[in-house]
Amino acid sequence: VKRDAAKISALVCVRNGAPYLEEALASIASQTLRPTELIVIDDGSSDGSADLARAAAPHATIESRPPRGLGYARQRALMLARGEMLAFLDADDVWDASYLERHLDVLLAEPSYDATMATVRPFLTPEKHVAVSETSRSLIARRGMLVGSITLRRSAVLRVGPFRADLALPDQDFPMRAREAGLVFAGAPEAIVHRRIHGNNITLTARADNLNPQNLDAELVDERVRAVLGYVAEGDVVIPRDQFERALKASERRLNAN
């Protein structure tokens, strides 16, 4: 398959993402290799995100649904997608202009690769009262198994199975199951996604079991980030599921003790 003939689906899930959604969609529209389709799933937004998406991307497939969580929205996007290659972009993040082109270069050069991982460059939003310190590990550029930084072949997604709608953190479960399914990941280091840290990121605020990270100071939020995203290491290393669960429970005990 030639690069310009590859069918690519760009998938965006949003809930109340109006402050950042237009910039995310603009980064998709400015790709040097344009996606075949753009699908936006609005998961019960109350801030006009769906209307903003329709205005910013009039040719996109945009579906508004009652709120059922990120896992359900991710899976719904996959169900609608028709592309051979699937790329998620979080509604508060931004792709570099050559993002899709860099992923496709790696995937088309080696058919045995099931998915590619971009370089994630976090940045603090200029807004005030961001509950993450500038020294947080979450601000280190890295490659890792963040759903919003990987591009997968459709055949690989079918091997992993659906995103789970019953989890507070489905984006942590899916990459682990991908590893367990034997998917082969390759780095696409020149593909860059800019991850916005604004204090309301799902991985910082989502509840897991009885963990409640609300109203935490910056140090504790940073500890939460290290626990939840601890499996994202330099390079391609992913910690085992049981180690991840132990880290999450340890973080829960610490947070509950404060």
Side-chain angles (χ1 to χ4, degrees):
V1 179
K2 294 183 179 180
R3 187 170 64 187
D4 57 359
K7 294 182 179 180
I8 312 168
S9 298
L11 311 176
V12 178
C13 300
V14 61
R15 180 190 289 182
N16 294 331
Y20 315 119
L21 179 59
E22 189 171 4
E23 186 177 0
L25 296 178
S27 76
I28 295 175
S30 65
Q31 289 296 295
T32 53
L33 181 65
R34 298 286 292 274
T36 308
E37 63 179 355
L38 167 61
I39 296 172
V40 179
I41 303 298
D42 176 55
D43 186 44
S45 294
S46 59
D47 66 351
S49 288
D51 291 336
L52 188 154
R54 293 186 182 97
H59 300 296
T61 298
I62 300 170
E63 183 174 282
S64 296
R65 308 182 65 85
R68 296 186 62 177
L70 179 60
Y72 184 88
R74 295 274 203 217
Q75 185 58 31
R76 182 58 184 165
L78 289 177
M79 291 172 65
L80 294 177
R82 296 169 295 174
E84 301 164 1
M85 311 291 184
L86 309 169
F88 279 104
L89 174 64
D90 290 341
D92 47 4
D93 294 344
V94 178
W95 282 344
D96 260 10
S98 61
Y99 182 85
L100 289 178
E101 184 177 356
R102 300 305 186 187
H103 277 285
L104 264 291
D105 283 345
V106 177
L107 285 169
L108 295 180
E110 180 47 70
S112 66
Y113 293 155
D114 296 305
T116 46
M117 300 179 293
T119 296
V120 180
R121 288 186 179 171
F123 67 100
L124 281 173
T125 186
E127 301 164 1
K128 297 180 180 179
H129 309 302
V130 175
V132 181
S133 75
E134 294 188 15
T135 60
S136 170
R137 184 171 179 264
S138 64
L139 295 179
I140 300 173
R142 69 190 71 201
R143 279 187 298 128
M145 296 278 287
L146 293 172
V147 171
S149 70
I150 58 178
T151 297
L152 305 97
R153 300 183 191 274
R154 172 180 292 279
S155 57
V157 174
L158 296 175
R159 287 165 55 195
V160 178
F163 280 87
R164 290 182 57 181
D166 60 330
L167 297 179
L169 298 170
D171 278 12
Q172 277 63 62
D173 172 77
F174 186 86
M176 291 179 185
R177 287 193 287 117
R179 285 293 193 185
E180 292 170 353
L183 266 60
V184 178
F185 285 80
E190 295 182 357
I192 297 170
V193 56
H194 300 273
R195 181 172 184 256
R196 189 188 307 268
I197 304 297
H198 49 76
N200 291 317
N201 304 78
I202 288 177
T203 47
L204 271 65
T205 60
R207 295 176 63 92
D209 299 324
N210 65 338
L211 177 61
N212 185 358
Q214 295 179 356
N215 302 319
L216 302 177
D217 61 30
E219 180 181 358
L220 288 177
V221 171
D222 286 349
E223 184 67 23
R224 166 70 175 160
V225 171
R226 283 192 290 273
V228 174
L229 297 185
Y231 72 94
V232 183
E234 297 296 339
D236 304 336
V237 179
V238 178
I239 70 172
R241 181 188 297 272
D242 59 347
Q243 186 177 343
F244 168 80
E245 292 174 347
R246 288 198 300 271
L248 192 59
K249 289 179 181 178
S251 178
E252 176 183 337
R253 289 193 296 270
R254 172 171 176 169
L255 296 180
N256 287 338
N258 285 272

